[in-house]
Amino acid sequence: MIFRILICLPWTLIIFYNNNLQEYEDRLTVVKIDHDANPQLIEEYKVYGLPTLILFKNGQEVPESRMEGAITKLKLKEYMDALLESISVS
């Protein structure tokens, strides 16, 4: 789940995340949440920075999966590969 806002620099980071997560489409579903339109979710998941990436498995947040802010393409790939391997998503 990726929390985002529709204006300002974080939006470009969301596009970056989304484009670079496409290689994982067969193993996960990317859901984008509009920060302004969903304040209850922002509060529920305690989203403080944008963009925020949270991985869920079986409806539960995966511990240590939360990432906020900018990250390089290489770091995002390393992060996702290690995280998906650690939770046995094949």
Side-chain angles (χ1 to χ4, degrees):
M1 187 177 305
I2 300 176
F3 291 87
R4 65 184 173 89
I5 190 166
L6 290 176
I7 56 172
C8 75
L9 181 60
W11 174 240
T12 60
L13 295 173
I14 293 301
I15 293 169
F16 170 80
Y17 282 158
N18 192 46
N19 290 343
N20 289 292
L21 291 173
Q22 289 177 350
E23 71 178 89
Y24 301 101
E25 286 179 332
D26 60 328
R27 301 189 312 181
L28 59 86
T29 301
V30 176
V31 177
K32 293 170 267 184
I33 307 295
D34 182 346
H35 175 275
D36 292 333
N38 296 282
Q40 70 286 358
L41 287 176
I42 299 305
E43 185 175 323
E44 179 180 346
Y45 291 106
K46 297 174 179 43
V47 174
Y48 301 115
L50 295 175
T52 296
L53 177 73
I54 305 172
L55 191 67
F56 289 81
K57 183 175 182 180
N58 299 323
Q60 299 296 316
E61 183 174 341
V62 174
E64 307 297 321
S65 72
R66 186 178 291 247
M67 180 192 320
E68 294 181 355
I71 188 171
T72 66
K73 181 177 182 176
L74 178 60
K75 291 289 184 190
L76 179 61
K77 179 168 179 31
E78 290 171 354
Y79 165 82
M80 290 303 298
D81 289 343
L83 193 58
L84 292 174
E85 183 178 321
S86 74
I87 61 169
S88 301
V89 175
S90 51

